[in-house]
Amino acid sequence: MKALLDEIEDSCVPGLTRQHKNGQEITFDLIRRTVTYVSLNPAFQEQGEIPPEDLEFVCKRLQNRFDINMTLGAAVAEPFMKWLDDAKVDIDPYFWGRYERHLRNGGFPPKVVTKLDEVTDRILGYLENPKKEGKWIRKGLVVGHVQSGKTANYTGLVCKAADAGYRLIIVMAGIHNNLRNQTQRRIDAGFVGRDSSKILANIPPEQKLVGVGLIDADRKPSSLTTSNKDFNKAFAQQQVTGLGEYREAVVLVIKKNKSTLENLIGWLKSLNLARAKDLIDYPMLLIDDEADNASLNTNEEGREATTINRLIRELLHSFHRRCYLGYTATPFANIFVDPDTDSEMLGDDLFPRDFIISLDAPDNYFGATRVFSEDSTLDVLRELDDFEDILPLKHKKDFRPPELPGSLLEAVRTFLLVRAARMARSEERSHNSMLVNVSRFTDVQSHIRELVHLYLDQLRTGITNHYQMPVNRAIMNPEVKSLYDTWHKEFSGSGVSWEKIQSLLHSSAAPVRVVEVNSSRNSEPLNYEEYNNSLNVIAVGGISLSRGLTLEGLTVSYFLRNSIMYDTLMQMGRWFGYRDGYDDLCRIYMTSGAISWYRHIAEATEELRNEFVKMERSHSTPSEFGLAVRSHPDSLIVTARNKMRTAETVVRSVSLAGRLIESTVVRSGDKAIEHNQSLLGNTVRDLLQHGSPVPQGNHHLWQNIPADLIKGFISEFDSPFPLGPLTQREPLFDYIDRLDKAGQGSWDVALMSVAESEEASSANLHGLNVWASARTVEKREEVGPNAYEISGSKRRVASTGDERIGLSDPLIEGIRVRYRGTGRNVPDWEYRQARTTPLLMLHRIDCRLHKSKPSIADGVVAYGISFPGEKAGRKHKDLVEYKVNVTWYRGNFGDDASDEELPDE
């Protein structure tokens, strides 16, 4: 029945799409009439009666498909003479036209295809006109979302660039073979139209066709790389001797690899420079996927550029007319942070000096904000707390865990159950993947793969022998019982009965394979396209699973990594993407620390994208945007990683305007606690000399407090954190003094308190009752004795909405109105930007290692400062200098150096 319903749905799409393109609204009533009409086709009727509820199911799926939308995003660019609109008169959109049909036939939502057409036009328009004579170069960047369809975007751009006249298009797809091969297959299907691995095969031409080639194969672009082989001089010479001999555009998909780039540059020079006398005069487009990875020059000023960076620049300089276009999903990536000086950043490097375009994801995107935000309605996150003794976050390459943590065993069971549930939902032909990313070392990954395989076999044995028995007998088997318990724990509300799941367990578990995905000899390629029905796989890996590689139908992720680098963490999020019809079944297992970091990054990234829109409206340039990101406080983390090899301390200029600064690391030792509690009491006493506080819910607020009192508190506060975080005294004092001189010397001060509770500790401070907030913490021994860092769901001391304290009711209401109906809380940066007076928040917190366990320290004092102001742009006079202690970061979070780098090939 599933295959029949799929056929009916697919048969409805062309007609509905035509009506959509003609401007007709695709209503549910129109969809129902179309489905009813199509279902009367004799070919469908002869397969038996179709239940009305199944036809209704098809209607709902079509409605979802036609409802999905995507907005255009924003662009920050230098002034540029637009050329594309006039040039379209002479452009035959052959390659784009068949790619558009390929997308629509493949189920892409019509509104998304329409917006993709507009977005790729916008990007192409910021590139140079390939027909323009003379020498020119354009450099740009496209900022997307992890697993959001960047490949579909730049495949569309490749098609339009070829239509416009670009003769050579090079796609650099990461540093690993598996990602390059995957990208080549997608370029084959979306642009070339032939399976590149069969180019030299002695088979009929029609058997080589794939993707767009099955729609129209009249024109044939050439590919000098294949889906199983990177660029090779001999293969290229076997095809043809020079670029001028190709009738259509030529495309290459290559790794960012020293030998590959040197071979390509050598081939271009030897075969083409002699004919052009000087440089190659064919317009060239270089697309750099994962542009923040390996492409950047992270060496110190004055030293030779890093090898890959130098070779990319040399490749660009082989052409008179060339464009460099980077794609990245990590807007905090070091492309904005390096190099050290403003003048070098704008010099002859890969910085996107001409334009930066921010892509918006379609509204069905399963992304960081939807998964990790406090407003999320998805119940997909599972916090891990049972791994440290078995599989510690920090371990050496010869480490061999004797067994798997119970949570990983549960995750494997969950994966089998999710596959069974999808089968029960008539999705038996869909791919299903599970990710296990617990170590960067390939030898450890191999050992984990073996343990997972053994456990899977153990489950399969129990399932095979018992799944057909009555439930009460089947669950007497410990393996089936464990699956039964996991089902009721996780999916009792899924609408599928256990009896149905049990009957499908054998079909669910039997095809599942456990594979290794890394650079070792044990690694297996994930070629989903080779499977007619579905590939069902548990993929164990590290770096190779952390960047670019798509795991089709990823439902369960088990993630143990301790990086806090924004780009690394976001790229590790292979679970982002599209999960239509089964997002409620997805599960992500990770530590509370990782959850809180992802939540922080999601908020920071959303904030940055909002700044992007503001900068577009104010006609800012890429250099101004790059400088704004570099001066963002969160760039401290990226900076530390970039400079680990070359420095002990790095000075970073940071803007504190519109920022929240918090003391997120605390001491639990008695002396430190007593010192800060005494300081808090004395500060409250001093505040009372300025008058009685105004109640703000449970909090106590003083206004018009002089800056000297705030500086006095900060100077006496006992903080264990080394150089690096935002609570360093010197830059804080510097900024407070600047505010004072600018006429912002008066402060709001809030003594924070939760509602009275039996679980919270309390204190009476000079007649004011204060109840402590509960916060989850992680031990940070490398910081100092008894040091803990606040983690939990928010990695924040304050609670959402605290920063509105001191604002007027009409102002607060005006901000809230903008968020009504969005399903989201007002982000605190909105209140922060509305402030005219800085706010010091004084907290007492009860520290717990886990939510369900008693506190390890009560009444620990912490503080936060909400600085007013707009963040967009960069004003040099507003910056203060922080010192990043690289040694500490290296010791604590420096495990991202790859142990699985590919050899030069």
Side-chain angles (χ1 to χ4, degrees), residues 391-642:
L391 192 54
L393 291 175
K394 298 180 72 173
H395 54 259
K396 298 186 181 298
K397 65 187 301 181
D398 58 357
F399 172 71
R400 298 293 181 273
E403 58 184 349
L404 298 176
S407 55
L408 181 48
L409 302 181
E410 179 176 304
V412 172
R413 296 195 298 271
T414 299
F415 176 63
L416 299 184
L417 293 167
V418 169
R419 171 157 158 69
R422 295 192 71 190
M423 294 172 69
R425 294 179 177 181
S426 299
E427 295 180 12
E428 62 271 9
R429 300 182 66 182
S430 301
H431 297 306
N432 294 272
S433 302
M434 174 179 175
L435 175 152
V436 179
N437 188 340
V438 297
S439 174
R440 68 186 177 95
F441 299 115
T442 55
D443 289 346
V444 180
Q445 294 163 24
S446 297
H447 183 71
I448 295 294
R449 190 204 70 80
E450 293 174 7
L451 293 178
V452 172
H453 180 79
L454 288 172
Y455 182 61
L456 180 61
D457 275 351
Q458 180 181 327
L459 287 173
R460 278 196 282 234
T461 299
I463 290 169
T464 302
N465 294 331
H466 300 86
Y467 80 101
Q468 292 179 311
M469 293 181 177
V471 172
N472 60 345
R473 288 185 58 193
I475 62 175
M476 293 177 67
N477 173 264
E479 279 69 44
V480 177
K481 180 63 162 61
S482 66
L483 288 159
Y484 174 85
D485 291 340
T486 301
W487 174 261
H488 285 285
K489 175 185 175 184
E490 291 290 339
F491 305 114
S492 59
S494 66
V496 183
S497 69
W498 168 254
E499 287 76 11
K500 180 65 173 177
I501 293 298
Q502 182 178 305
S503 70
L504 294 170
L505 283 178
H506 178 68
S507 300
S508 170
V512 175
R513 297 165 52 215
V514 186
V515 302
E516 222 174 297
V517 182
N518 52 36
S519 62
S520 73
R521 288 178 296 178
N522 300 323
S523 181
E524 297 184 42
L526 292 176
N527 295 335
Y528 293 91
E529 297 89 346
E530 295 179 358
Y531 289 78
N532 287 329
N533 290 320
S534 64
L535 173 59
N536 300 280
V537 63
I538 299 175
V540 181
I543 306 289
S544 292
L545 287 176
S546 299
R547 186 173 278 276
L549 187 68
T550 298
L551 299 176
E552 301 286 350
L554 179 62
T555 55
V556 177
S557 302
Y558 191 92
F559 179 77
L560 286 179
R561 299 296 289 272
N562 69 341
S563 171
I564 62 168
M565 305 307 171
Y566 283 20
D567 52 345
T568 304
L569 271 178
M570 290 301 285
Q571 292 292 350
M572 285 179 175
R574 297 293 94 198
W575 47 80
F576 301 135
Y578 302 96
R579 304 288 183 266
D580 293 338
Y582 62 98
D583 56 2
D584 62 313
L585 301 176
C586 294
R587 295 293 181 267
I588 303 171
Y589 296 79
M590 57 172 53
T591 66
S592 62
I595 291 172
S596 61
W597 272 112
Y598 272 108
R599 183 159 288 153
H600 174 80
I601 295 168
E603 292 174 357
T605 303
E606 182 184 7
E607 180 184 335
L608 190 64
R609 289 183 183 278
N610 274 283
E611 290 184 39
F612 208 121
V613 173
K614 291 180 181 178
M615 296 190 82
E616 180 187 43
R617 291 171 182 163
S618 64
H619 305 289
S620 298
T621 65
S623 61
E624 290 170 321
F625 183 71
L627 296 173
V629 176
R630 287 182 60 189
S631 64
H632 193 291
D634 291 320
S635 71
L636 288 167
I637 297 171
V638 183
T639 302
R641 195 269 310 276
N642 291 345

Side-chain angles (χ1 to χ4, degrees), residues 600 632-634 636 654-664 714 724-729 731-732 735-736 747 795-798 803 832 839-843 862-868 880 882:
H600 174 80
H632 193 291
D634 291 320
L636 288 167
V654 166
S655 170
L656 295 182
R659 304 296 175 189
L660 172 67
I661 310 302
E662 292 188 311
S663 59
T664 54
I714 295 171
L726 296 174
T727 51
Q728 290 174 29
R729 293 186 180 92
L732 277 180
Y735 192 64
I736 291 171
W747 284 60
R795 195 169 288 272
R796 281 181 50 182
V797 181
E803 293 181 75
R832 209 176 304 143
L839 169 69
L840 171 66
M841 293 171 283
L842 303 171
H843 302 267
Y863 73 90
I865 299 176
S866 177
F867 284 115
V880 293
Y882 279 85

Side-chain angles (χ1 to χ4, degrees), residues 180-181 184 196-197 199 223-230 235:
R180 193 215 71 83
N181 296 347
Q184 178 78 57
S196 57
S197 67
I199 286 177
S223 176
L224 297 185
T225 52
T226 75
S227 56
N228 52 24
K229 196 168 186 62
D230 206 337
F235 178 78

